[in-house]
Amino acid sequence: MAGKPKQMSQIKQLIRLYQSGSGIKTIARILGMSKNTVRSYLKKMADGGFNTEELLKQEDPLLEKSFHSGNPAYKADKFEYLKSRLDYYEKELKRTGVTKQLLWQEYIESDPTGYSYPQFTYHLRQQLVSRKGSMVMEHIAGDKLYIDFSGKKLHYIDRSTGELIACEVFVACLPFSDYAFAIAVRSQQTPDFLYALSCCLEAMGGVPKAIVPDNLKAAVIKADKYEPVLNQSMEDFANHYGTVVVPARSARPKDKSLVENQVKMIYSRVFAPLRNQQFFDIHALNQAINTCMVKHNQTRMQQKPYCREERFLSAEKSTLDELPSERFELKYYAELKVGNNGHIYLQRNKHYYSVPFTYIGMKVKLIYTRTMVSIYCQGKQIAVHIRSYRENAYTTVAEHLKSEHQAYKKRSHETYLARAREHSPEFHELMQVLFKRARYPEQLYRTCDGLFKLKRDFPVEEFDKACKYVLKNKLYTYYFFKNVLENGIANSEEEPLVKDALPEHANIRGRAYYASSQPTHFDQPKDGLGAQ
């Protein structure tokens, strides 16, 4: 077996001793080498025609290359042949069913004197590794925020059912300081995802210039290497916080490698410490996660004289943009048609919202959040409502209705009495007596509407006489009032239809009489009839 190459510092000493006229034995003795080793280096100098002065000026790596030019195997024809086909083998490996063993068999058939299978796989592996080289990224403070979801899940127990509820774990980090954040949410759907992201920005106390997610459905509709299509809710979120979204390339985890590394560390620094603990709601689970993350960010980083939190507070937090005054609310969009009743129907909550009656039959656009509903038509906001979660109910603004509909909805005892007072005292008195009757309000309102119609159809004097006549006879029906007006009964001198009540008198038997004279069910028949 060939000996290990000598250090180039010793070879330079060999050259200097040779220049001074020392022999092979002397050089071998002084440097502790064998005579054959000294002789081989001197032979390489002679065969290569090297200038000793130039050799002494070279740095050790260049001098080593002069004496050890490499393995002759890499200069053989079979290596050149294999090298020319490595690109082809790399492409073939991506095809279904193609293995390294199959490629080697094809290679040996084309070159029977070629490399063995271990040598073949070694050269092919070197080819693949060289293709996967990575670049060192230089990160700028406050520039980007990498976000991802962990593959594994945490759980809490439902108190009422005992069911184990799985939670997704949202993870984010700022690449400059590697400051990390984690929170558990119920799913990866858009509302939970954007809620976790807003909590992250609030915890960090600022907004980075760009957010880098992967291509999850909650953020990206269509993944593309050059121009991915973002979810509209994600765009609304970015606009609210004054940042941009730059999704990582599909199947390129190295685009956000630091957050991928954070996920691995969180498995050991969050998942492992909490593995034997039980939680009964997601808030308690997140409190425990936060405690672990504070400890993680305060742990001294390897090969660095600081922890993540120190680096973040000293050099990065001040570079983040300010948070907006209000937290982001997820917006939903819909396009609906206004119904004949002047309302649109929001299917999500099964609730009706009013719009001005002039837009009946037109299509309008809705933008609604958890708390508000805004309605637009032809680029103009036509209505705003507080969102209601009552099913099959109506939210109506009175100004949106037609005038007659507004009047109908405003009906009350007070409105009818005020209108009657404006007409005459007699009509007002009649209305007061009418509303004292024990009848359903809708029935009274209809009677009042009928009386107001009669007021419009007959002269004021006749109408007031009819009011007095009705009050005197105590018959407060619409038809009686109408009959009095049409037949002119109030103008006649006839006696009232209803006589005065009988005067008080002593001819009253009283309760005691009936109590003593009525038989009870215990009385037996006196004549035996009916006896059994």
Side-chain angles (χ1 to χ4, degrees):
M1 181 181 292
K4 186 177 180 180
K6 300 297 181 181
Q7 292 183 359
M8 291 300 104
S9 59
Q10 282 188 313
I11 302 304
K12 287 183 178 181
Q13 289 295 313
L14 184 152
I15 295 172
R16 292 184 186 280
L17 290 171
Y18 179 72
Q19 283 181 332
S20 64
S22 300
I24 293 176
K25 290 182 180 180
T26 303
I27 296 171
R29 185 180 70 254
I30 294 172
L31 298 178
M33 296 181 185
S34 67
K35 292 182 289 184
N36 289 335
T37 301
V38 175
R39 190 177 292 110
S40 66
Y41 277 101
L42 293 176
K43 185 176 184 302
K44 288 181 179 181
M45 287 173 57
D47 294 344
F50 295 128
N51 187 321
T52 56
E53 294 297 332
E54 292 181 356
L55 290 176
L56 291 172
K57 292 179 181 179
Q58 291 180 355
E59 296 291 340
D60 289 357
L62 298 177
L63 184 60
E64 185 175 8
K65 184 178 180 181
S66 300
F67 286 102
H68 306 286
S69 58
N71 192 332
Y74 288 97
K75 299 180 181 179
D77 293 338
K78 63 180 181 180
F79 177 74
E80 293 297 330
Y81 175 75
L82 175 61
K83 184 179 178 181
S84 65
R85 295 181 61 82
L86 286 176
D87 288 337
Y88 165 75
Y89 294 144
E90 182 183 359
K91 293 179 181 178
E92 291 298 304
L93 273 178
K94 297 178 182 179
R95 300 180 65 177
T96 305
V98 178
T99 63
K100 294 179 181 179
Q101 180 73 28
L102 177 62
L103 294 176
W104 176 74
Q105 292 174 356
E106 295 177 356
Y107 161 71
I108 287 297
E109 290 177 1
S110 61
D111 184 9
T113 62
Y115 292 104
S116 64
Y117 178 71
Q119 291 175 314
F120 173 82
T121 55
Y122 170 77
H123 291 300
L124 183 56
R125 185 165 58 252
Q126 290 294 104
Q127 169 80 359
L128 297 176
V129 169
S130 66
R131 291 282 192 265
K132 295 181 179 179
S134 59
M135 181 180 69
V136 177
M137 299 291 294
E138 294 185 5
H139 300 290
I140 303 172
D143 184 44
K144 292 180 180 178
L145 175 70
Y146 292 159
I147 59 177
D148 198 4
F149 279 97
S150 66
K152 296 180 175 59
K153 300 180 181 181
L154 291 174
H155 302 79
Y156 70 90
I157 301 171
D158 190 324
R159 290 181 182 273
S160 58
T161 64
E163 181 184 2
L164 202 62
I165 308 298
C167 294
E168 301 284 350
V169 179
F170 172 89
V171 183
C173 78
L174 294 164
F176 176 79
S177 60
D178 207 26
Y179 187 77
F181 172 84
I183 188 174
V185 290
R186 290 181 175 84
S187 71
Q188 292 190 24
Q189 296 180 358
T190 300
D192 290 329
F193 166 66
L194 294 182
Y195 168 75
L197 187 52
S198 63
C199 290
C200 173
L201 297 180
E202 290 176 5
M204 293 180 174
V207 183
K209 302 295 185 297
I211 297 174
V212 183
D214 55 11
N215 289 276
L216 72 164
K217 294 291 186 183
V220 180
I221 297 176
K222 180 180 179 182
D224 187 83
K225 182 178 180 181
Y226 303 105
E227 291 186 356
V229 180
L230 297 179
N231 186 322
Q232 187 169 1
S233 297
M234 188 71 212
E235 290 179 337
D236 290 338
F237 182 92
N239 292 332
H240 179 79
Y241 283 97
T243 185
V244 297
V245 180
V246 186
R249 294 173 297 172
S250 181
R252 294 293 188 274
K254 286 188 177 181
D255 285 2
K256 50 181 182 62
S257 57
L258 285 177
V259 74
E260 300 286 346
N261 187 53
Q262 282 291 343
V263 170
K264 294 178 182 178
M265 287 191 288
I266 283 173
Y267 286 151
S268 61
R269 295 187 178 181
V270 175
F271 281 66
L274 302 182
R275 67 189 185 279
N276 295 324
Q277 297 186 33
Q278 290 184 341
F279 305 96
F280 295 94
D281 57 68
I282 195 170
H283 303 292
L285 174 60
N286 277 325
Q287 288 178 355
I289 293 173
N290 183 60
T291 302
C292 293
M293 290 305 299
V294 169
K295 186 176 180 180
H296 167 66
N297 285 320
Q298 293 177 350
T299 301
R300 189 59 55 88
M301 301 173 71
Q302 293 183 2
Q303 301 179 357
K304 289 183 175 62
Y306 51 79
C307 66
R308 293 174 176 83
E309 185 173 328
E310 291 173 339
R311 178 72 165 168
F312 169 70
L313 294 176
S314 63
E316 187 163 24
K317 186 173 182 178
S318 60
T319 64
L320 298 174
D321 296 334
E322 291 185 3
L323 288 166
S325 57
E326 298 179 357
R327 175 180 278 194
F328 172 77
E329 279 195 315
L330 181 61
K331 295 180 180 178
Y332 300 92
Y333 299 84
E335 187 171 352
L336 303 172
K337 186 177 181 180
V338 182
N340 290 334
N341 60 357
H343 290 72
I344 53 94
Y345 178 62
L346 186 58
Q347 177 66 36
R348 185 182 289 266
N349 297 122
K350 298 181 180 179
H351 194 86
Y352 295 86
Y353 296 93
S354 68
V355 299
F357 69 91
T358 54
Y359 294 94
I360 289 176
M362 299 178 65
K363 285 189 175 182
V364 296
K365 292 183 178 180
L366 266 72
I367 300 178
Y368 57 100
T369 64
R370 184 176 57 87
T371 57
M372 299 298 294
V373 177
S374 300
I375 306 173
Y376 299 84
C377 183
Q378 299 175 351
K380 177 183 176 182
Q381 187 181 73
I382 60 175
V384 179
H385 297 279
I386 297 174
R387 188 171 176 185
S388 174
Y389 292 86
R390 293 173 54 210
E391 293 188 359
N392 301 317
Y394 288 80
T395 296
T396 305
V397 176
E399 290 74 12
H400 292 169
L401 303 177
K402 292 182 179 180
S403 57
E404 58 266 28
H405 295 166
Q406 293 184 32
Y408 181 83
K409 289 185 70 67
K410 290 180 180 178
R411 292 182 307 168
S412 66
H413 293 186
E414 291 75 14
T415 57
Y416 282 110
L417 288 173
R419 290 173 61 189
R421 187 185 300 112
E422 293 176 358
H423 176 77
S424 66
E426 294 81 5
F427 192 24
H428 180 252
E429 183 182 356
L430 176 60
M431 282 292 178
Q432 287 180 320
V433 174
L434 190 63
F435 281 124
K436 290 179 181 179
R437 303 182 66 193
R439 293 177 61 192
Y440 183 66
E442 185 72 20
Q443 293 177 325
L444 290 174
Y445 294 161
R446 291 192 177 185
T447 301
C448 292
D449 291 337
L451 296 182
F452 275 100
K453 184 178 183 303
L454 293 175
K455 181 181 74 67
R456 293 192 298 270
D457 295 341
F458 289 89
V460 176
E461 294 181 359
E462 293 184 14
F463 186 83
D464 290 342
K465 288 182 179 179
C467 290
K468 293 179 180 180
Y469 188 82
V470 168
L471 288 169
K472 189 175 182 180
N473 287 278
K474 300 180 180 179
L475 295 174
Y476 308 113
T477 66
Y478 165 76
Y479 291 105
F480 178 73
F481 197 98
K482 182 180 179 182
N483 186 43
V484 169
L485 284 171
E486 291 179 345
N487 297 319
I489 298 177
N491 296 323
S492 64
E493 298 299 332
E494 296 180 2
E495 292 295 325
L497 298 179
V498 179
K499 303 297 184 181
D500 293 335
L502 295 174
E504 295 290 337
H505 58 89
N507 190 18
I508 299 176
R509 296 180 185 179
R511 293 176 58 188
Y513 172 82
Y514 290 99
S516 60
S517 61
Q518 290 181 353
T520 64
H521 63 282
F522 295 105
D523 295 336
Q524 297 295 330
K526 296 181 180 180
D527 55 359
L529 295 176
Q532 295 181 358

